[in-house]
């Protein structure tokens, strides 16, 4: 039968085509087939946020944080909590953008210009005449992967969005009475004494039998589990490995030297003096003509007696900053002066005097007094720097090509990483005891949850295949495979006997401490004069913990104080029990005027923040926000383990 199909393959293909096409016509093609991951994770005002958008936003946010803090543990960025925080920010951005559109809020040109000037990096690009160095500005925003137009459009959006919340937060205020009442309550001080009942005091009273330990072991199997582990091998492709594989051509290196020697040597600088006849660009045309005629007369004087340039500048120049120095502007490089002035100055030889040069400030007569040409380093002097720069450039150009070969290699030879490692000259690395969650302090590829996810996928576990090439950072990819796998399992009782006994004794000791503490509380409440064993009195407040636990502080500060002294009990869980005696109340400390003013400002900020959060909740309800992904429970993973 199969031989018949092979002989008549064209006919078989035609029959299949005739069968398949009608099914698409009748049923249709799911758009998800072409659009990739389109699972909806949130909805704002009827507009969906997809899983792909969430993943992309989190990747960008993680890359930004890694660029700012290279030593940060990557596992923190890829935790469920961090990913959910990104989704919440994405939803918040959509809510505020929607509000901006609905409220018809726009950013004026004046607002945009003012905000741009407030950015220090942009303000630093201004020339001495107040104009902006456009080329440097393009380079600055280009470093963020944006054009000036795109950057300014983004700024407009951000400024418009900020007006939505700013209308609420910027109007927050608080009266002195409000601040006093609130802070008096929050920062009230209480004198307390504490009697501690710790588990260690009762550990010797715990009677332990093997039957009890066996029962405890069976009741708490999750406490004695060994997590699944794997031994793996993996290869990392990054810019450093590509750079190391590049062999530089001597001829290319010398060509690069010729093309860049002037840049590497430094900028030529010139010292010049000038005479300015002021006529700003908004001066009426007739007045500019008069100024030009005056400059022409002064030029004639200078050309007649070139040695008197400084004297004539002192008398005639209208540049108040340089006239007293005979017009001297000191040394400057290209880019420091307005374009017409710069072109004229760098076209002159030492001692030459220019014709009348027109600029936005008026009319200049320029004399070049000194030329400082940097020494041109030899090829050999610059060789190390040339090699570094050229190798880096070639590595960046080559990375995409090598990355494709890397991805294809780990896929095509799916049962070994050795071939791709040898072909691309990469180090084949190994690691033992690797788990689904990165261990604390882990760095590099093994700290990246996306790579670990791929390692512990069904295909990787069951078939010992290579993972796909996983991008874990810009210009950094990794692929791995499991060589040995141990599933999670509950350890044998004998192997964890000591741990079982320790946990059992701790639990029973804490229970005895709690029982004793509660008994003492009841007895001391009935007969206060019998209370003993309290610590020395300490004065506590919300910002003065005095080495007390947060549980003790919180309980003491909310306890009823109608009758003092009073006693309360505090369950400290596995840390035992505490009986707290509250002796007296004191108002918050009187603050000096500057500190009191600072506290007032802090209170207004808290108020603004609270009002902003409340207004955001109103907007969420108005735009029918739905987040379809459950919020991760902090600590849930640890409990599962």
């Amino acid at each position: 039968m199969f031989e018949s199909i092979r002989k008549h393959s064209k006919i078989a293909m035609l029959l299949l085509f005739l069968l398949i096409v009608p099914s698409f016509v009748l049923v249709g093609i799911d758009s998800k087939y072409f659009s990739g991951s389109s699972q909806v994770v949130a909805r704002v005002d009827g507009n969906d946020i997809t899983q792909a958008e969430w993943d992309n936003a989190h990747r960008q946010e993680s890359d930004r944080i890694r660029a700012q803090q290279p030593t940060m543990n990557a596992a923190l960025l890829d935790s469920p909590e961090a990913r959910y925080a990104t989704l919440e920010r994405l939803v918040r951005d959509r809510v505020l953008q929607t509000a901006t559109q609905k409220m018809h809020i726009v950013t004026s040109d004046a607002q945009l210009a003012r905000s741009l000037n407030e950015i220090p990096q942009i303000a630093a690009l201004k020339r001495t005449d107040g104009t902006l160095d456009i080329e440097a500005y393009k380079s600055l925003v280009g470093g963020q992967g944006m054009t000036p137009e795109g950057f300014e459009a983004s700024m407009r959006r951000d400024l418009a969005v900020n007006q939505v919340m700013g209308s609420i937060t910027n109007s927050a205020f608080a009266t002195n009475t409000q601040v006093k009442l609130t802070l008096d309550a929050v920062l009230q001080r209480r004198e307390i004494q504490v009697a501690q009942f710790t588990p260690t005091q009762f550990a010797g009273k715990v009677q332990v039998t093997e039957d009890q330990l066996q029962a405890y072991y069976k009741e708490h199997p999750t406490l004695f589990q060994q997590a699944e582990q794997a031994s793996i091998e993996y290869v990392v492709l990054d810019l450093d490995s590509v750079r190391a594989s590049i062999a530089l051509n001597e001829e290319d290196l010398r060509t690069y030297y010729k093309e860049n020697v002037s840049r590497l040597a430094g900028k030529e600088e010139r010292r010049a003096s000038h005479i300015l006849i002021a006529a700003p660009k908004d001066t009426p045309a007739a007045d500019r003509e008069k100024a030009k005629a005056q400059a022409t007369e002064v030029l004639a004087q200078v050309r007649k007696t070139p040695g008197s340039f400084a004297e004539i500048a002192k008398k005639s120049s209208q540049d108040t900053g340089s006239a007293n120095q005979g017009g001297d502007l000191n040394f400057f490089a290209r880019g420091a002066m307005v374009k017409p002035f710069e072109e004229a100055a760098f076209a002159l030889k030492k001692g030459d005097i220019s014709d009348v040069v027109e600029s936005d400030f008026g009319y200049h007569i320029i004399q070049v007094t000194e030329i400082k040409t940097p020494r041109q380093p030899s090829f050999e002097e610059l060789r190390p720097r040339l090699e570094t720069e050229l190798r880096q450039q070639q590595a960046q150009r080559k990375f995409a090509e090598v990355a494709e070969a890397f991805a294809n290699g780990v896929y095509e030879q799916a049962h070994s990483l050795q071939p791709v490692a040898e072909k691309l000259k990469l180090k084949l690395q190994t690691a033992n005891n690797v788990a689904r969650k990165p261990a604390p302090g882990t760095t590099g590829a093994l700290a990246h949850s996306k790579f670990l996810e791929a390692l512990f996928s069904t295909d990787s576990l069951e078939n010992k295949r290579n993972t796909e090439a996983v991008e874990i950072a810009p210009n950094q990819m990794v692929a791995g495979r499991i060589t040995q796998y141990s599933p999670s399992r509950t350890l044998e009782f004998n192997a964890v006997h000591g741990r079982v006994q320790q946990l059992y004794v701790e639990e029973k000791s804490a229970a005895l401490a709690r029982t004793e503490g509660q008994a003492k509380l009841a007895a001391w409440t009935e007969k206060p004069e019998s209370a003993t064993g309290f610590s020395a009195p300490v004065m506590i407040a919300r910002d003065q913990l005095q080495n007390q636990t947060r549980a003790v502080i919180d309980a003491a500060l909310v306890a009823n104080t109608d009758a003092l002294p009073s006693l309360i009990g505090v369950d400290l869980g596995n840390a035992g029990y505490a009986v707290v005696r509250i002796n007296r109340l004191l108002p918050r400390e009187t603050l000096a005027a500057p500190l009191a003013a600072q506290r007032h400002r802090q209170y207004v900020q808290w108020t603004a923040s609270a009002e902003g959060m409340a207004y955001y909740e109103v907007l969420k309800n108005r735009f029918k926000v739905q987040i379809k992904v459950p919020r991760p429970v902090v600590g849930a993973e640890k409990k599962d383990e």
Side-chain angles (χ1 to χ4, degrees), residues 119-141:
I119 299 174
Q121 294 89 335
I122 294 178
L125 301 180
K126 283 196 171 183
R127 300 190 181 99
T128 53
D129 62 2
T131 60
L132 184 68
D133 186 337
I134 297 300
E135 292 304 317
Y137 175 55
K138 288 180 180 177
S139 176
L140 177 67
V141 299

Side-chain angles (χ1 to χ4, degrees), residues 429-615:
Q429 304 179 63
T430 60
N432 297 318
N433 303 324
V434 177
R436 283 182 188 266
K437 302 294 179 185
T442 304
T443 58
L446 297 181
H448 203 284
S449 62
K450 192 174 180 182
F451 174 51
L452 294 175
E453 215 172 276
L455 271 174
F456 285 89
S457 67
T458 303
D459 187 47
S460 175
L461 286 173
E462 293 181 357
N463 301 316
K464 300 293 188 293
R465 293 179 184 273
N466 300 340
T467 68
E468 62 179 353
V470 179
E471 184 178 7
I472 57 174
N475 295 328
Q476 190 172 23
M477 303 176 78
V478 61
R481 61 182 295 270
I482 289 177
T483 56
Q484 189 173 351
Y485 174 71
S486 301
S488 61
R489 61 190 180 91
T490 301
L491 297 171
E492 295 292 332
F493 175 76
N494 291 336
V496 292
H497 185 278
R499 176 67 174 160
V500 175
Q501 182 166 338
Q502 176 193 343
L503 293 177
Y504 177 80
V505 170
E506 286 178 359
E507 183 181 290
K508 296 303 178 183
S509 299
L512 289 174
R514 191 178 307 112
T515 301
E516 180 68 11
Q518 290 169 342
K520 289 293 185 184
L521 174 62
W524 293 342
T525 301
E526 187 175 342
K527 294 182 177 180
E529 68 278 4
S530 67
T532 58
F534 284 95
S535 64
V538 292
M539 195 65 65
I540 63 160
R542 296 188 191 279
D543 58 348
Q544 299 174 25
L545 304 187
Q546 303 290 5
N547 296 321
Q548 300 297 325
T549 65
R550 175 53 69 181
V552 166
I553 296 290
D554 290 345
L557 290 175
V558 300
N560 188 303
T561 56
D562 291 343
L564 293 178
S566 65
L567 295 173
I568 59 169
V570 184
D571 190 343
L572 302 177
N574 289 337
Y577 196 82
V579 176
V580 180
R581 179 160 61 192
I582 304 165
N583 295 325
R584 59 193 178 111
L585 310 182
L586 277 83
R588 66 187 175 103
E589 296 174 304
T590 303
L591 302 175
L595 190 53
Q598 180 185 348
R599 283 282 169 86
H600 191 117
R601 289 193 297 272
Q602 284 179 332
Y603 182 84
V604 173
Q605 289 173 358
W606 297 335
T607 303
S609 177
E611 290 179 355
M613 291 171 65
Y615 182 56

Side-chain angles (χ1 to χ4, degrees), residues 237-251:
L237 174 70
D238 55 19
L239 212 54
D240 289 340
S241 57
V242 175
R243 186 167 49 237
S245 70
I246 290 174
L248 295 177
N249 182 294
E250 184 74 10
E251 186 178 341

Side-chain angles (χ1 to χ4, degrees), residues 203-252:
K205 297 181 180 180
V206 178
Q207 301 298 317
V208 181
T209 67
E210 284 299 305
D211 289 343
Q212 290 171 329
L213 295 182
Q214 286 276 7
Y216 185 84
Y217 168 78
K218 292 175 181 176
E219 290 169 7
H220 304 85
T222 57
L223 296 178
F224 310 107
Q225 278 194 339
Q226 178 178 285
E228 62 178 336
Q229 295 179 341
S231 296
I232 70 164
E233 57 184 23
Y234 64 103
V235 285
V236 176
L237 174 70
D238 55 19
L239 212 54
D240 289 340
S241 57
V242 175
R243 186 167 49 237
S245 70
I246 290 174
L248 295 177
N249 182 294
E250 184 74 10
E251 186 178 341
D252 290 344

Side-chain angles (χ1 to χ4, degrees), residues 267-271 330-331 370-375:
K267 291 184 177 181
E268 176 187 305
E269 292 184 332
R270 296 197 166 207
R271 186 170 193 166
N330 214 322
F331 282 100
E370 289 185 62
I371 297 175
K372 190 187 292 184
T373 305
R375 184 184 73 82

Side-chain angles (χ1 to χ4, degrees), residues 275 277 290-300 356 363-365:
I275 299 168
I277 305 302
K290 289 179 184 178
K292 184 175 182 180
Q294 184 182 346
T296 304
E297 290 176 12
V298 174
L299 176 61
V356 173
Y363 298 92
H364 309 260
I365 301 160

